[in-house]
Amino acid sequence: LEQYGLPGSIPVLIKRATKENDTMARKNVVRALGVCGGGAKDKKAAQTLLKRISSDKQVSVRKHAALACAHFKGEEASKLVLKKLERTAARTKDDKVRGGVEFKTAGIL
């Protein structure tokens, strides 16, 4: 799904992101959600990624959710993810997650 980036995949990916127990699968789901949701400028996809960044129990999933937000480009990125990403970067204690957030917010600007 990540390779195709089809907006029609967004509802399935959102559901899977919250229910998937396997860390590797959840990481792949958030990456695919970034590609599909970013291109479509989907608000629910953005909200799901931001939630994964702040609440997922695994650092790798939080980091990849932050990286996936880079697919939200331009003015829409500012509206959907940029301010929340900056707040998350300021609050997070994990260097890998903070680095992913800071790297991607620099790329969005």
Side-chain angles (χ1 to χ4, degrees):
L1 293 175
E2 181 180 2
Q3 291 178 350
Y4 296 115
L6 300 173
S9 303
I10 295 170
V12 173
L13 291 168
I14 290 172
K15 184 176 180 180
R16 199 67 182 161
T18 58
K19 295 187 176 197
E20 181 59 58
N21 290 324
D22 181 71
T23 301
M24 182 71 78
R26 207 167 50 251
K27 177 187 75 145
N28 292 336
V29 166
V30 297
R31 286 183 22 213
L33 187 57
V35 173
C36 297
K41 297 173 177 67
D42 188 85
K43 184 177 182 178
K44 288 184 179 182
Q47 291 171 340
T48 301
L49 290 172
L50 293 167
K51 184 176 181 182
R52 292 292 100 205
I53 293 169
S54 59
S55 68
D56 201 277
K57 58 189 171 193
Q58 295 296 321
V59 172
S60 64
V61 176
R62 294 194 306 262
K63 176 182 155 189
H64 282 276
L67 294 171
C69 287
H71 294 282
F72 289 84
K73 304 274 187 206
E75 191 174 321
E76 288 296 316
S78 294
K79 292 178 187 176
L80 294 173
V81 297
L82 189 57
K83 290 179 183 178
K84 293 174 184 171
L85 280 172
E86 289 171 341
R87 283 194 300 255
T88 300
R91 285 191 308 237
T92 190
K93 295 176 184 176
D94 189 280
D95 291 339
K96 290 179 183 177
V97 174
R98 186 173 43 253
V101 170
E102 290 171 350
F103 177 74
K104 288 309 170 184
T105 55
I108 290 173
L109 298 173

